[in-house]
Amino acid sequence: MLFIFLITCKYLRFCLHLLLLMLKKNTLALKKDFNLKGQLQRGSSSGFEMVFKQYHNDLCNYINSIVLDREEAKEIAQQVFIKLWEKRDEFDKIDSIKSYLYRSAYNTCMNIFKHEKVKSRYFSEEAYFLQSVYLED
């Protein structure tokens, strides 16, 4: 019984240690994110470069999982980073650069899909109209 108790205590200590490491890592990430937000708000190109290097590849992979086209994913990511730079003055309203980037990427993809749907509907209606005009002649 004592042996089981000792193993349980070691396991609990190990779990507590992992939890503390995770909290420390999250705290460091939050501090880094806060510093990057400050640099971006001040218009620091080096801060923007750090954000770009940190998130660009993962963001492209995320977008690619939505649009299923690597080149289009890179273009959308570029649009998202341009929006990030243009809206850097409004950063006091957001909690996390990462969540802002991913939400912006998702919304941009959905807007593109919506635009493509409207465009295809317009062209199919136009083709139908042109076909009916030619058939009448």
Side-chain angles (χ1 to χ4, degrees), residues 3-102:
F3 179 71
I4 294 172
F5 176 74
L6 291 175
I7 291 175
T8 305
C9 287
K10 283 185 179 183
Y11 178 73
L12 288 174
R13 274 193 302 231
F14 175 73
C15 290
L16 182 60
H17 180 71
L18 284 178
L19 181 63
L20 290 174
L21 284 175
M22 288 171 40
L23 287 173
K24 185 177 179 182
K25 182 180 175 184
N26 285 342
T27 303
L28 290 174
L30 287 173
K31 284 181 183 177
K32 186 177 180 181
D33 207 40
F34 181 76
N35 290 336
L36 287 174
K37 278 176 33 179
Q39 287 182 16
L40 283 174
Q41 279 182 308
R42 290 189 298 276
S44 166
S45 59
S46 63
F48 181 79
E49 184 179 346
M50 288 191 317
V51 170
F52 184 85
K53 285 180 178 177
Q54 183 173 349
Y55 294 112
H56 182 261
N57 286 335
D58 290 339
L59 192 64
C60 282
N61 290 335
Y62 171 70
I63 296 168
N64 189 43
S65 73
I66 297 172
V67 297
L68 305 176
D69 181 347
R70 188 71 183 165
E71 290 306 311
E72 179 144 8
K74 287 180 182 179
E75 289 179 26
I76 293 170
Q78 185 176 4
Q79 290 174 17
V80 169
F81 279 104
I82 289 170
K83 276 189 228 173
L84 175 75
W85 181 254
E86 290 172 345
K87 295 187 180 243
R88 66 187 181 277
D89 297 333
E90 302 171 16
F91 266 27
D92 52 340
K93 299 174 187 171
I94 67 165
D95 294 328
S96 160
I97 292 173
K98 182 178 180 179
S99 64
Y100 175 85
L101 288 171
Y102 279 77

